[in-house]
Amino acid sequence: MPAVAETIETVQSVTESGYKWGFETDIEMEFAPKGLNEDIVRFISAKKNEPAWLLEWRLKAFALWQKMEEPDWAAVSYPKIDYQDAYYYAAPKTKAGPKSLDEVDPELLKTYAKLGIPLKEQAILAGVEGAGETPAEAFPAGGRMPVAVDAVFDSVSVATTFKKTLEAQGIIFCSISEAVQTHPELVREYLGSVVPQADNYFAALNSAVFTDGSFVYIPKGVRCPMELSTYFRINAKSTGQFERTLIIADAGSQVSYLEGCTAPMRDENQLHAAVVELVAMDDATIKYSTVQNWYPGDENGVGGIYNFVTKRGACRGARSKISWTQVETGSAITWKYPSCILQGDDSVGEFYSVAITNNRQQADTGTKMFHIGRNTRSTIVSKGISAGRGQNTYRGLVKISPKATGARNFTQCDSLLIGDQCGAHTVPYIENRCLSAKVEHEATTSRIAEDQLFYCRQRGLNEEEAVGLIVNGFCREVLKELPMEFAVEAQKLLAISLEGSVG
Amino acid sequence: MNAMTTGSDAFLARYDGLGGRLPGRDGYVAGLRARAAEAFRVAGLPHRRLEAWRYTDLSAVAQAGFTEALTLVEEAPALPPARAPHRAVFVDGRFAANLSRMPEGFRAVSLAGALDAAEGVLGSAPEQGLALVALNTMLFEDGLWLDLPEGTDGGTMELLSVATHTDRPIAFHPRHIIRLGRGSTLTLIETATGPNGAAYLHNPVYEIAVAEGATLSHVRLQREGRKAFQLSTVLASVQAGGTYDNFTLNAGGRLVRNEIHTALLGPKAACHMNGAQLAADGQHADTTTFLDHAAPDCASRQTYKTVLAGKSRGVFQGKILVRQAAQRTDGYQMNQALLLSEEAEIDAKPQLEIYADDVKCSHGATVGALDESQLFYLRSRGIPAEEARAMLVQAFLTEAVEGVTDPLAQDALAEAVEGWWEKEAA
């Protein structure tokens, strides 16, 4: 009976979690002792051979953190986190940091290859055929570009590709630990200048114990010739990942930066508390795209990553622009508000977001736009999709100061509900103190219309495919903002995240 | 931080001191008051660290040191002309029988005189734990109690609140109970006024119950004196097929909060909440709404417009909650603000919290100044600048004001809006 085999296959594909990145890499690791105290902060700093000012900076953050309280205003619920029950430093054992890709542990290379992120200077990101050993310069302007990758594995950066090509243009792209050694003046000037140590509970924690992350500096007038990317991987058990990313786009420069992340499937919750700071000077443009695919936990809400992240960009210069695009499909809990401080006159902030919660996932995400300079403009487009027992909240602030004459904001938040056990929430804040500013906000909540489903099914799509198609259409405005390689990936992710949510 | 504590302390001291002199000292009311006092002692006067109060600061209320109007004014205060055949007049929070003309055919009485009969009714609305409701329960002296039996047409009636004292800051906390039996109807037009020179606190609480198929149209015109505080809380529940319409004009007062909680408890219940806030120099106007969709097939519509002149501040917070049972909910909310001055500030927080999937819910918010091209258009047709501005402001308010359909209420409203424009904004 061939039907039996088919049935078994079907049942398996339904019951199997769609999370394909849930494997674990067996590699020799070095840990700091479990727990969190001043000694751990000193340990991390010493491990990274940091200058005294940075250790002091960390210790100050730690002291501040101890006095702060964990925020409880977000619409998420989770058991109290025991901050002493985790490792704050976990790194693959290596000899003094890899000098070149050849020296990277093959086990790690295999891990990234399996994730679709080959750490060879040849290929483009997942889903797209590698282009052979082609030097970046061979790519025509405007054509498909290779992507330079900084790979962060638990607490440390294990490899950064295309460094030489980028250096030729004066672009610095390396791990932040390396930048502390090689460009201390830049790190010292900008670290914490957008997200200060005491900004919030998780940012303070990150400031004290951050272990690695990416550092980017684009010199004046340089247009970065390829996409820069960081791939974050949590691997070890009972660890938290605390990365810190700092991107500085000097006057007239341009950069597009991508961020991806995954973690093994485990029944424990792991904490990811990152800080990302962006600085854009006069006429500079930073485009920051994220496809967040941390392990979301199983259908009963066991395990998964707590993604408590502070991301903020400062448009310091006139006519500068920062654009955030995020596709949030993973994590058990997401707490994330990529924001823009629009200081420079005529500066522009953008936030495009798709957030999906399925099973027991919870997401409280949105943005803040601070209009300070004249004629500053911001656009917010947020698409939330709730399925299963997921809870999805958009939370955003548009604040217009009295001097931001001519400021303009447009916000659109749409929520889609799939199933009657989930929730969709919208909490926008508008604070305006400027006569000539114009702010518009729109929000809608609905489910997939029966007639749309009927139309698709009538044309031979099954229900799951139909929902996938409709959801992709619902998210189109955001997905089209993603660099192409990511857009392909993101569309696939949407379908996977919603697996099992229909019927 | 101390100011906050002292603020609640001052009210608690009044409660402790007045004790037995408040109405209902022997019966169940004393128990209600004691529990409310305990709740208020714990909560204190709301402060800006509370999410629901992040834009409205009550420290001026905390510091004012209010007392009660212990003596009744001999002289009848100047009252606005009567619009409806029946009116209930409250002077400094107390029922003035000689100035009132009460309807017949249903219970329409002063609450202070009917407390025994109100057992089980008084304090039966949800959200009694809100700090300002607790404050009201603790100190109320009187209020209007309307109880319409099944099938009653209550017609149109006025509720008038007048403050009189100018010598010292007084506070009054009237408690109004309005209950409509099955299929009954009532239009209630309410005006609150007071002297411009007096810093008084008017803290009314409305417990409103609309039974199956009943319709209550509630029009509130807040025209308090310019130094007054009005903090009002409406607690309304609507059963199947019933309708509660609330329109609130906020035009007076120094600091005003209009908080409305409406729960739609039965299928096909409906609610329209509209309002206009007009604030000029030195005024703070806050409208906070909470709409609880707890039953299927209900509809709600909200339109709020805020016009801000001078150094004023407007606040709109509106939350729509759709519970899991409330399938096929149709919810809509719009709030718009028009800024007329460089110094005005608007804070808006519309909010959707949705747990049912077969729903249509949307909200919108806009903030901006008068459109220069529209002004130019009017002026190019020979309309003077001031008149053109007035026309555009009127037009801006139309959508919210349209919801008021009772002709008497329309007149009262038009007069209030014109009065505000002439005195404050022009």
Side-chain angles (χ1 to χ4, degrees):
Chain A
M1 292 208 301
V4 177
E6 210 183 288
T7 312
I8 292 173
E9 219 181 75
T10 315
V11 170
Q12 254 177 4
S13 72
V14 171
T15 48
E16 225 174 43
S17 160
Y19 197 75
K20 298 181 177 75
W21 307 267
F23 63 89
E24 193 174 333
T25 307
D26 191 13
I27 190 166
E28 214 185 328
M29 298 288 285
E30 185 182 10
F31 290 94
K34 214 173 198 179
L36 179 56
N37 51 50
E38 247 188 60
D39 290 341
I40 295 290
V41 177
R42 287 177 194 281
F43 173 92
I44 293 169
S45 188
K47 207 71 207 155
K48 305 202 157 281
N49 195 23
E50 285 175 356
W53 67 264
L54 190 49
L55 174 62
E56 266 166 45
W57 194 83
R58 285 174 180 275
L59 289 172
K60 187 181 155 206
F62 184 68
L64 288 164
W65 178 74
Q66 283 179 305
K67 281 187 227 135
M68 292 167 90
E69 275 180 41
E70 201 170 324
D72 59 0
W73 43 259
V76 295
S77 62
Y78 53 93
K80 203 136 188 61
I81 298 170
D82 181 358
Y83 289 92
Q84 297 304 332
D85 190 29
Y87 296 101
Y88 287 82
Y89 183 83
K93 272 200 176 148
T94 43
K95 347 106 210 169
K99 294 284 179 304
S100 76
L101 287 173
D102 307 334
E103 293 170 44
V104 176
D105 191 320
E107 213 32 65
L108 280 174
L109 289 179
K110 256 194 260 168
T111 301
Y112 282 89
K114 217 167 150 186
L115 293 168
I117 316 291
L119 293 182
K120 285 190 274 176
E121 298 195 352
Q122 55 159 22
I124 314 170
L125 219 61
V128 180
E129 285 301 309
E133 304 260 348
T134 324
E137 295 78 28
F139 288 88
R144 199 176 291 174
M145 286 290 168
V147 178
V149 179
D150 181 23
V152 176
F153 192 83
D154 286 326
S155 299
V156 293
S157 165
V158 291
T160 311
T161 63
F162 284 113
K163 268 165 103 166
K164 290 263 147 38
T165 319
L166 294 169
E167 267 165 27
Q169 302 223 26
I171 296 169
I172 306 166
F173 178 45
C174 61
S175 75
I176 199 153
S177 311
E178 196 182 326
V180 168
Q181 307 300 332
T182 54
H183 303 281
E185 70 301 334
L186 281 174
V187 177
R188 195 167 182 177
E189 184 178 347
Y190 290 104
L191 186 73
S193 73
V194 186
V195 180
Q197 291 137 302
D199 188 77
N200 69 70
Y201 188 79
F202 300 112
L205 176 64
N206 174 287
S207 302
V209 301
F210 74 89
T211 44
D212 223 330
S214 302
F215 177 85
V216 178
Y217 173 80
I218 316 285
K220 276 188 184 136
V222 171
R223 186 182 170 150
C224 188
M226 63 180 84
E227 306 272 352
L228 303 184
S229 162
T230 304
Y231 196 89
F232 296 100
R233 175 77 177 166
I234 293 181
N235 186 62
K237 252 194 175 111
S238 309
T239 55
Q241 191 173 59
F242 305 92
E243 89 266 5
R244 186 132 195 150
T245 294
L246 179 54
I247 300 177
I248 303 143
D250 217 325
S253 69
Q254 275 185 38
V255 62
S256 168
Y257 182 90
L258 321 172
E259 177 196 70
C261 36
T262 54
M265 287 164 70
R266 289 216 178 84
D267 57 8
E268 62 168 1
N269 294 112
Q270 287 179 283
L271 179 62
H272 172 248
V275 172
V276 174
E277 298 177 279
L278 312 182
V279 180
M281 301 308 197
D282 285 354
D283 300 293
T285 298
I286 302 177
K287 183 174 175 62
Y288 194 106
S289 313
T290 306
V291 173
Q292 186 265 104
N293 186 26
W294 294 115
Y295 177 55
D298 68 8
E299 66 276 15
N300 297 314
V302 177
I305 303 290
Y306 291 165
N307 191 32
F308 299 159
V309 174
T310 307
K311 294 188 170 178
R312 195 174 302 151
C315 284
R316 298 242 164 103
R319 298 166 304 280
S320 56
K321 175 175 172 182
I322 290 179
S323 175
W324 299 98
T325 306
Q326 60 172 24
V327 175
E328 303 279 318
T329 60
S331 295
I333 299 177
T334 300
W335 180 100
K336 181 181 170 189
Y337 314 91
S339 305
C340 297
I341 303 169
L342 304 170
Q343 289 162 290
D345 291 349
D346 302 293
S347 59
V348 176
E350 294 175 341
F351 175 75
Y352 297 96
S353 167
V354 168
I356 296 196
T357 53
N358 195 2
N359 296 322
R360 301 248 178 195
Q361 280 176 274
Q362 308 171 55
D364 195 301
T365 184
T367 184
K368 292 180 182 182
M369 294 289 174
F370 298 95
H371 290 258
I372 297 163
R374 280 173 297 172
N375 298 318
T376 45
R377 281 167 293 149
S378 63
T379 304
I380 301 171
V381 177
S382 162
K383 306 280 178 178
I385 298 153
S386 311
R389 292 173 173 273
Q391 297 292 333
N392 206 325
T393 305
Y394 167 82
R395 190 184 300 276
L397 168 69
V398 175
K399 187 167 187 158
I400 299 183
S401 74
K403 291 194 178 130
T405 51
R408 187 83 176 81
N409 161 266
F410 174 76
T411 303
Q412 181 169 356
C413 304
D414 297 318
S415 304
L416 196 63
L417 293 150
I418 303 174
D420 61 358
Q421 303 287 310
C422 53
H425 319 303
T426 315
V427 195
Y429 294 74
I430 300 164
E431 301 179 6
N432 180 13
R433 299 185 59 186
C434 179
L435 176 63
S436 57
K438 212 166 167 188
V439 182
E440 284 170 284
H441 172 96
E442 261 173 41
T444 63
T445 303
S446 59
R447 68 171 181 176
I448 293 177
E450 292 291 338
D451 55 341
Q452 289 176 351
L453 267 180
F454 179 78
Y455 183 90
C456 294
R457 303 230 28 211
Q458 195 206 24
R459 272 150 186 78
L461 298 181
N462 69 31
E463 195 169 353
E464 203 143 282
E465 289 164 344
V467 168
L469 186 72
I470 294 167
V471 166
N472 264 310
F474 176 74
C475 301
R476 223 181 73 94
E477 274 169 277
V478 173
L479 297 181
K480 73 177 169 54
E481 295 295 325
L482 285 172
M484 192 173 64
E485 288 78 2
F486 254 32
V488 175
E489 189 82 334
Q491 288 200 7
K492 282 192 217 152
L493 267 179
L494 290 186
I496 292 164
S497 301
L498 289 170
E499 247 168 45
S501 67
V502 191
Chain B
M1 163 178 163
N2 279 334
M4 179 199 97
T5 336
T6 356
S8 61
D9 281 355
F11 289 110
L12 285 162
R14 300 306 302 168
Y15 170 71
D16 291 336
L18 287 168
R21 291 164 68 185
L22 291 163
R25 62 175 167 272
D26 303 320
Y28 71 99
V29 180
L32 281 182
R33 290 195 198 274
R35 281 195 296 281
E38 199 39 51
F40 187 67
R41 202 182 299 275
V42 173
L45 208 58
H47 50 80
R48 290 195 52 201
R49 289 190 305 278
L50 298 170
E51 179 61 28
W53 289 87
R54 62 183 292 140
Y55 297 124
T56 295
D57 185 358
L58 291 186
S59 47
V61 173
Q63 284 151 16
F66 294 110
T67 57
E68 293 68 34
L70 288 176
T71 50
L72 266 187
V73 217
E74 300 285 322
E75 223 173 298
L79 297 180
R83 297 175 188 278
H86 303 291
R87 67 175 2 182
V89 179
F90 286 79
V91 177
D92 298 328
R94 285 187 210 143
F95 185 60
N98 55 331
L99 301 173
S100 304
R101 216 181 120 85
M102 301 300 266
E104 280 160 20
F106 58 90
R107 189 198 296 269
V109 293
S110 138
L111 181 65
L115 278 174
D116 287 344
E119 184 163 7
V121 172
L122 173 64
S124 64
E127 306 285 0
Q128 299 287 330
L130 292 171
L132 292 177
V133 176
L135 173 62
N136 177 286
T137 308
M138 185 171 96
L139 289 173
F140 81 89
E141 292 174 76
D142 207 343
L144 174 66
W145 182 12
L146 300 179
D147 214 324
L148 278 69
E150 194 173 331
T152 315
D153 178 2
T156 301
M157 144 161 213
E158 277 188 280
L159 168 59
L160 219 63
S161 165
V162 188
T164 59
H165 279 262
T166 47
D167 51 339
R168 64 201 159 81
I170 60 155
F172 47 99
H173 313 264
R175 182 65 155 247
H176 305 300
I177 299 175
I178 299 150
R179 300 170 72 85
L180 270 68
R182 281 163 180 271
S184 60
T185 56
L186 178 72
T187 298
L188 184 67
I189 305 171
E190 179 190 335
T191 306
T193 63
N196 271 332
Y200 60 92
L201 167 66
H202 182 192
N203 176 39
V205 168
Y206 302 79
E207 295 193 63
I208 294 174
V210 177
E212 287 81 355
T215 301
L216 173 62
S217 174
H218 189 188
V219 178
R220 302 185 56 217
L221 307 175
Q222 181 279 111
R223 308 179 68 181
E224 306 278 13
R226 280 296 299 272
K227 286 188 180 166
F229 301 90
Q230 191 197 77
L231 310 170
S232 68
T233 311
V234 173
L235 307 173
S237 63
V238 188
Q239 303 297 333
T243 303
Y244 176 57
D245 288 350
N246 178 303
F247 175 90
T248 305
L249 172 78
N250 265 343
R254 164 183 168 192
L255 187 156
V256 172
R257 163 98 154 190
N258 160 33
E259 187 166 330
I260 310 174
H261 296 245
T262 303
L264 301 177
L265 301 178
K268 298 199 169 146
C271 176
H272 306 108
M273 304 201 295
N274 299 315
Q277 306 200 92
L278 313 172
D281 217 27
Q283 288 184 293
H284 179 110
D286 173 344
T287 288
T288 296
T289 68
F290 177 63
L291 228 159
D292 182 353
H293 276 270
D297 300 299
C298 294
S300 65
R301 292 277 174 278
Q302 297 181 61
T303 306
Y304 284 91
K305 305 267 183 165
T306 303
V307 179
L308 300 171
K311 191 172 162 59
S312 64
R313 189 165 177 195
V315 177
F316 173 82
Q317 307 185 101
K319 178 169 171 175
I320 301 177
L321 168 68
V322 178
R323 295 181 194 265
Q324 209 191 325
Q327 295 294 350
R328 297 174 301 282
T329 286
D330 182 358
Y332 170 82
Q333 179 195 79
M334 173 56 82
N335 86 84
Q336 297 183 304
L338 184 62
L339 305 186
L340 300 177
S341 121
E342 302 266 353
E343 295 167 302
E345 174 176 355
I346 176 76
D347 300 303
K349 187 178 70 167
Q351 196 174 344
L352 293 171
E353 189 173 332
I354 295 172
Y355 297 96
D357 65 331
D358 190 3
V359 299
K360 258 192 355 210
C361 280
S362 60
H363 68 210
T366 67
V367 174
L370 280 177
D371 188 331
E372 286 299 329
S373 62
Q374 293 174 355
L375 267 178
F376 177 78
Y377 181 91
L378 292 173
R379 297 220 46 202
S380 69
R381 269 144 191 82
I383 298 167
E386 263 329 296
E387 215 172 297
R389 273 157 58 92
M391 277 171 81
L392 290 175
V393 170
Q394 286 276 4
F396 172 77
L397 292 174
T398 307
E399 203 188 334
V401 171
E402 250 165 17
V404 179
T405 49
D406 184 274
L408 298 177
Q410 279 173 342
D411 290 349
L413 177 59
E415 187 192 301
V417 171
E418 267 163 43
W420 179 80
W421 181 258
E422 276 162 22
K423 265 213 299 270
E424 306 288 359

